[in-house]
Amino acid sequence: GLRMLDEILGCFAQEGGLRLRVKCAGDLHIDDHHTTEDVAIALGECLATALGNKAGCNRMGCATVTLGTACVEAVMDLSNRPHFEHDLRFVDEMVGDVSAEMLVHAFDSFATNGRMTLHLVQRGEAAQVSGRDLACAAARAIGLALKQCAAIDPRRAGATASSKGTLAA
């Protein structure tokens, strides 16, 4: 597989309080694109299915993670209106065995297929940040934000966190 992809999935799962079991047979002899993208799509789809109509969930959350010299804030809304924004500034083209471009695309694919709005904001100067630390900080922040979003708020009494009463697509 791809060691960097495995590492960010581990960071995400650990902070999100999730147990992941991922198996992917990709075309690594060509490049990292399809494997990285397909895993992110599948993970997002599984999350959307597991959360269902999100009744009782907090729905919104944010978290900031510092790892080494990298600091990333994730702001998330389980809105059923997929959107991804980021200002992650990877200095090098590759982060381990995955391209920086594909890591960003993986976060986008996860948000789109998880039917969420996700913003990743990098704090600090990019020139001093290792790509590994930046990717892992982002994955950890996403996991923590998701944990907040998916937590049940007993005050909602099972109602969906929306003034309309639904998060219809």
Side-chain angles (χ1 to χ4, degrees):
L2 296 167
R3 286 185 298 256
M4 191 64 225
L5 180 60
D6 292 344
E7 187 171 0
I8 66 167
L9 289 173
C11 291
F12 165 75
Q14 179 182 7
E15 299 300 340
L18 305 169
R19 288 186 4 203
L20 294 181
R21 187 174 185 161
V22 178
K23 183 176 181 180
C24 179
D27 55 1
L28 294 177
H29 62 284
I30 297 173
D31 64 16
D32 59 342
H33 181 97
H34 292 110
T35 297
T36 305
E37 179 182 51
D38 291 350
V39 167
I41 289 170
L43 187 59
E45 288 176 347
C46 287
L47 176 68
T49 299
L51 291 173
N53 68 3
K54 302 167 186 83
C57 291
N58 286 326
R59 191 182 126 188
M60 292 171 260
C62 65
T64 302
V65 171
T66 300
L67 184 63
T69 58
C71 183
V72 177
E73 179 181 22
V75 180
M76 182 182 291
D77 181 356
L78 302 179
S79 62
N80 276 351
R81 292 179 295 280
H83 184 76
F84 176 70
E85 290 287 336
H86 79 94
D87 73 348
L88 301 178
R89 299 175 304 277
F90 288 96
V91 176
D92 297 316
E93 185 177 327
M94 296 297 292
V95 181
D97 54 357
V98 178
S99 69
E101 176 183 31
M102 279 315 305
L103 289 173
V104 170
H105 184 59
F107 295 141
D108 187 3
S109 296
F110 170 71
T112 299
N113 290 278
R115 308 215 30 86
M116 68 183 69
T117 298
L118 175 62
H119 292 256
L120 296 176
V121 181
Q122 180 178 342
R123 305 292 185 200
E125 297 298 319
Q128 303 167 348
V129 177
S130 95
R132 181 199 162 277
D133 287 350
L134 184 58
C136 290
R140 288 182 186 280
I142 293 168
L144 285 169
L146 177 62
K147 190 175 188 177
Q148 289 176 17
C149 291
I152 299 299
D153 182 348
R155 298 170 298 170
R156 296 201 187 285
T160 302
S162 170
S163 61
K164 298 176 295 198
T166 182
L167 293 175

